[in-house]
């Protein structure tokens, strides 16, 4: 009877030892998983921070591009106005040259008539 109880005790002790090893292995596995998830969570926070920073930079660049587009539009309008003004100056100059030419011809004709009258 005592031998039976001793055998039973050894079997229970062996199973208990195996169960304890299994529990320790599972606890180690859980700890490894916890560390892995914590690492992934840290990586996720870093990535989210990077994405937020990139989004802010993209928004800033979009605003800058929009401002530059407005500036280009304004400069284009100013350039067109200046070109129109230059064209008007050229036409005014050509009209003035025609007037000068006409007045020069009239003066030459008048001088020629005055010389004839003096003869």
């Amino acid at each position: 009877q005592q031998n039976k109880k001793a055998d039973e005790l050894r079997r229970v002790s062996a199973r208990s030892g195996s169960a304890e090893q299994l529990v320790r292995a599972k606890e180690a596995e859980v700890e490894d998983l916890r560390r892995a998830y914590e690492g992934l969570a840290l990586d996720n926070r870093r990535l989210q921070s990077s994405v937020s920073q990139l989004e802010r930079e993209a928004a800033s660049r979009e605003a800058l591009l929009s401002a530059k587009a407005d500036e280009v539009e304004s400069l284009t309008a100013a350039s067109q106005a200046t070109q129109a003004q230059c064209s008007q100056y050229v036409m005014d100059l050509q009209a003035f040259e025609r007037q000068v030419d006409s007045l020069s011809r009239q003066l030459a004709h008048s001088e020629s008539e005055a010389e004839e009258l003096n003869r």
Side-chain angles (χ1 to χ4, degrees), residues 61-79:
R61 286 191 175 102
E62 282 296 322
L64 182 61
L65 282 174
S66 179
K68 292 295 181 185
D70 291 345
E71 185 179 353
V72 165
E73 187 177 326
S74 174
L75 290 172
T76 300
S79 174

Side-chain angles (χ1 to χ4, degrees), residues 71-90:
E71 185 179 353
V72 165
E73 187 177 326
S74 174
L75 290 172
T76 300
S79 174
Q80 290 170 346
T82 300
Q83 287 175 341
Q85 191 176 21
C86 287
S87 294
Q88 185 61 49
Y89 288 154
V90 167

Side-chain angles (χ1 to χ4, degrees), residues 4-19:
K4 280 185 176 183
K5 287 185 179 186
D7 287 342
E8 182 69 25
L9 182 61
R10 280 191 288 277
R11 280 193 304 261
V12 169
S13 291
R15 279 191 303 222
S16 176
S18 294

